[in-house]
Amino acid sequence: MIKIEWMMMRFLLFCIVCATLQSCATKKDINKRLLPEGIKSATEEIYLIVNNQHKLLQKKQLVFTRNGRIKYSITFDSLGNIIQETKKKLWFIVETYPYKEPYYCKTRWKPKQRERISCYTRKQYKQNEAIYYYNKDGTIEKIVDNFTTFYTQYYYYTLHELTAIVTKDKKNQLIDEIVVHCETKDEKGVCIKETRVSKITNLQEEVWFMPQYK
């Protein structure tokens, strides 16, 4: 009886250690998004700009954990219909959609500031996979798609502010280059109004980010 209890204790301790290591290894979402500690939740709205008219593309509500990771998110289309919902679990993130199976996404830490994020259906069919490369401050350096487009997105910063996103294919050919400019910041230095303009298509978007702090 004592031996069984001891084995259960060891198993629980192992689970706690693994969860702690997983939590420490994965990069914080607030660092990826250039957000400060203490953010509780946020609403993000993305608009397409055509002839100086704003057309809502999607709206996302985000809830953060105390250690700066996204605990829950829900994304709506321009008509208010839910198009994606995410929930953080202990070992993975569940993504649910209105018209297809849920995805179960697991992050595996890799050496040299990298993470491999893979999403599967319940039947273990892989849906997508990407390798995220990070800078030392936790911001994204590049994202390499390993499953669908096989494109690589490169992120560029100036004075700790995102200024460009460049997308290239497997042959290093340019697909798109987005110029990013922060128009307005709040009192904590968070960009709450951002413009994104494509050099290839001239498509212009505006991102409004409304954070709530503790």
Side-chain angles (χ1 to χ4, degrees):
M1 186 70 175
I2 296 176
K3 186 176 180 181
I4 294 175
E5 290 180 352
W6 171 243
M7 291 176 65
M8 291 180 64
M9 292 270 300
R10 289 183 63 184
F11 177 74
L12 288 172
L13 181 61
F14 172 77
C15 291
I16 292 171
V17 170
C18 288
T20 303
L21 290 175
Q22 176 76 2
S23 177
C24 293
T26 57
K27 294 296 183 179
K28 293 183 178 182
D29 292 298
I30 58 171
N31 293 339
K32 299 177 188 179
R33 290 171 161 261
L34 294 168
L35 299 174
E37 298 283 348
I39 187 169
K40 183 178 181 181
S41 61
T43 299
E44 181 183 72
E45 296 177 353
I46 301 178
Y47 294 87
L48 177 65
I49 311 299
V50 180
N51 297 325
N52 294 321
Q53 298 294 316
H54 289 65
K55 179 182 179 181
L56 179 65
L57 295 179
Q58 68 175 44
K59 178 178 180 179
K60 177 179 287 189
Q61 295 174 347
L62 304 153
V63 177
F64 294 87
T65 64
R66 290 183 179 180
N67 62 3
R69 293 174 174 85
I70 295 174
K71 179 180 180 180
Y72 171 79
S73 76
I74 184 167
T75 305
F76 304 89
D77 64 15
S78 60
L79 299 177
N81 301 308
I82 297 175
I83 56 177
Q84 187 196 56
E85 195 170 2
T86 72
K87 293 181 181 179
K88 178 177 173 55
K89 302 295 184 179
L90 181 61
W91 303 107
F92 54 89
I93 292 174
V94 182
E95 297 181 356
T96 56
Y97 304 87
Y99 302 114
K100 62 181 180 182
E101 289 187 75
Y103 289 177
Y104 300 85
C105 303
K106 186 171 183 179
T107 299
R108 297 175 178 86
W109 176 250
K110 298 173 72 67
K112 299 180 181 180
Q113 298 291 317
R114 295 180 297 162
E115 287 177 339
R116 182 175 66 187
I117 301 177
S118 308
C119 296
Y120 300 83
T121 61
R122 191 179 292 275
K123 295 180 180 180
Q124 293 298 301
Y125 296 138
K126 186 181 289 187
Q127 301 300 314
N128 56 63
E129 181 175 274
I131 305 296
Y132 283 62
Y133 293 74
Y134 297 97
N135 300 305
K136 291 183 178 180
D137 62 359
T139 54
I140 299 173
E141 178 189 356
K142 65 180 178 180
I143 301 173
V144 181
D145 186 304
N146 277 351
F147 194 79
T148 50
T149 64
F150 297 97
Y151 289 167
T152 299
Q153 286 186 321
Y154 301 86
Y155 291 72
Y156 296 91
Y157 306 84
T158 302
L159 299 176
H160 202 60
E161 184 176 304
L162 181 64
T163 54
I165 303 173
V166 175
T167 303
K168 295 184 179 181
D169 64 14
K170 291 181 67 174
K171 297 181 179 180
N172 206 37
Q173 297 296 310
L174 180 66
I175 301 299
D176 202 356
E177 181 176 355
I178 307 295
V179 177
V180 182
H181 180 67
C182 180
E183 301 287 343
T184 309
K185 295 183 179 181
D186 68 6
E187 69 279 359
K188 291 183 176 289
V190 173
C191 186
I192 58 175
K193 181 181 177 182
E194 177 184 271
T195 57
R196 298 189 174 198
V197 182
S198 168
K199 283 189 173 182
I200 305 299
T201 64
N202 290 320
L203 189 71
Q204 181 177 347
E205 293 182 350
E206 199 167 272
V207 181
W208 296 1
F209 190 82
M210 294 151 278
Q212 297 290 325
Y213 302 105
K214 295 179 181 178

